[in-house]
Amino acid sequence: MTRADHDLIPEAALAWHRAGKGAALATVIETWGSAPRQAGSQLAISGDGEMTGSVSGGCVEGAVITEALDALDDRKSRILTFGVSDETAFAAGLACGGTIRVLVEPVGEGAEALPEPLLESLTAARAAPRALAIVTTPSTWERRLVPPGQDPATDARFKSDRSGMEEDGRFIAIHNPPLRLIVIGAVHIAQPLLAIARTCGYAPTLVEPRAAFGSAARFPGETILDDWPDEALARLQPDARTAIVTLTHDPKLDDPAIRFALTSPAFYLGCLGSTRTHARRVERLTEAGFTPDQIAKIRAPVGLNIGARSPAEIAVSIMAQITETLRT
């Protein structure tokens, strides 16, 4: 399960530090109401001025980079508070003004710095992937790694997938495994859907037992499983951070996947096909013993009703519905 390049921010900071360039991590810890970047968003800065990631829509990055370079010199972490006026925010392309607070930490030596071993452990967990949080207490600059199951406040943030400040003054930065999208059927819609999903931060997998459909030539660089759909899902073990979409509207392929998905913790199940096709699908599932409540989990016809026609537009509608289901 690989992360998108734009999400490899702690990894970039560690690589720059190890290369001897120096590195600092800037992390959003609090934001104004309609901020473009949520708490937990990060920007990595090297001693050479290289950067990856972002902490705003562009209105504070310059000041954060300057402070990060200063932090590399004095080896001290700091919390920056930016009051952004409505005029400044609008000029930078934001919707409104307000306040943003950013934690800036130099990596490596120093009583207030982000220790290299801690960053190494974090990146190892992200690569595994395993859920892990960095809990920072700014008043003492104590930092510790917290896995699920050790702290109720951290567990609540793992579940909601939201980093943020606690009332006791701790900042909890959540690093969950990537969201996953499992697509059944290497049809035309799957091509833009996999690309859009990856851009949205999902790790996609395509399941297609028909060799002519699921070829590397049609889906270059994608993870393709040629197992029968239910067998593939048994291998992949979908969890509460997994969305499943069936696209073949062929019962021989879709139904085994749907039956498996309905008994899994997957947060989304969408199925391609007309209203009439879905009605027949419901009949088959009812005959197989599934309850109305279970069947109601299926989003069909798949995707938000935005008038989509082309495969790319349908892919957009599917990804929009997955996002709506996850975030609301």
Side-chain angles (χ1 to χ4, degrees):
M1 187 187 304
T2 58
R3 294 178 183 270
D5 289 345
H6 61 258
D7 189 38
L8 298 176
I9 300 168
E11 291 78 5
L14 181 61
W16 288 330
H17 173 74
R18 286 174 170 172
K21 296 180 177 182
L25 265 177
T27 307
V28 177
I29 61 174
E30 289 183 315
T31 66
W32 62 91
S34 56
R37 301 290 287 141
Q38 64 183 0
S41 300
Q42 292 190 306
L43 171 69
I45 306 101
S46 80
D48 293 339
E50 301 163 283
M51 57 178 284
T52 184
S54 66
V55 291
S56 78
C59 57
V60 304
E61 260 75 6
V64 170
I65 292 169
T66 298
E67 290 282 350
L69 295 176
D70 288 344
L72 290 177
D73 288 335
D74 63 26
R75 311 305 305 165
K76 293 182 179 180
S77 295
R78 58 257 275 154
I79 292 178
L80 313 175
T81 301
F82 298 95
V84 184
S85 69
D86 289 341
E87 293 78 10
T88 300
F90 186 79
L94 308 181
C96 62
T99 301
I100 178 171
R101 299 180 72 212
V102 180
L103 169 65
V104 178
E105 304 170 282
V107 177
E109 299 298 324
E112 296 183 5
L114 178 63
E116 179 182 353
L118 187 146
L119 188 56
E120 288 176 342
S121 296
L122 174 65
T123 56
R126 285 166 55 89
R130 301 188 309 273
L132 194 63
I134 296 183
V135 179
T136 303
T137 304
S139 61
T140 62
W141 295 118
E142 177 192 5
R143 301 169 179 87
R144 60 191 183 97
L145 296 173
V146 180
Q150 290 192 2
D151 173 60
T154 305
D155 285 347
R157 291 196 174 276
F158 278 125
K159 185 175 181 179
S160 65
D161 206 15
R162 287 182 177 273
S163 302
M165 295 292 299
E166 293 293 311
E167 291 184 0
D168 60 9
R170 296 179 301 159
F171 172 64
I172 302 176
I174 294 299
H175 293 265
N176 270 321
L179 293 157
R180 291 191 291 166
L181 173 65
I182 302 172
V183 176
I184 311 298
V187 300
H188 196 174
I189 296 168
Q191 292 172 313
L193 179 57
L194 296 177
I196 295 169
R198 186 176 295 101
T199 300
C200 291
Y202 287 70
T205 300
L206 179 63
V207 177
E208 178 53 83
R210 301 168 296 182
F213 283 78
S215 66
R218 295 187 68 228
F219 294 90
E222 299 293 353
T223 300
I224 306 172
L225 300 183
D226 60 3
D227 299 326
W228 204 252
D230 55 342
E231 295 172 354
L233 289 175
R235 285 178 54 190
L236 293 169
Q237 287 298 300
D239 57 18
R241 293 178 59 78
T242 306
I244 300 171
V245 177
T246 67
L247 295 178
T248 74
H249 55 80
D250 180 341
K252 295 190 301 297
L253 294 173
D254 282 357
D255 281 12
I258 294 168
R259 290 195 296 267
F260 189 100
L262 285 176
T263 60
S264 79
F267 75 87
Y268 175 89
L269 172 60
C271 302
L272 187 69
S274 66
T275 302
R276 183 177 300 177
T277 296
H278 184 57
R280 291 195 293 267
R281 181 186 292 134
V282 169
E283 290 176 3
R284 294 192 301 272
L285 290 170
T286 300
E287 291 172 0
F290 287 91
T291 68
D293 285 346
Q294 287 177 306
I295 296 171
K297 295 178 182 179
I298 301 173
R299 302 300 186 98
V302 70
L304 294 182
N305 185 10
I306 59 173
R309 294 184 179 181
S310 70
E313 290 175 347
I314 295 170
V316 168
S317 76
I318 294 171
M319 201 66 233
Q321 189 175 58
I322 291 172
T323 303
E324 180 185 56
T325 304
L326 176 68
R327 301 301 182 194
T328 59

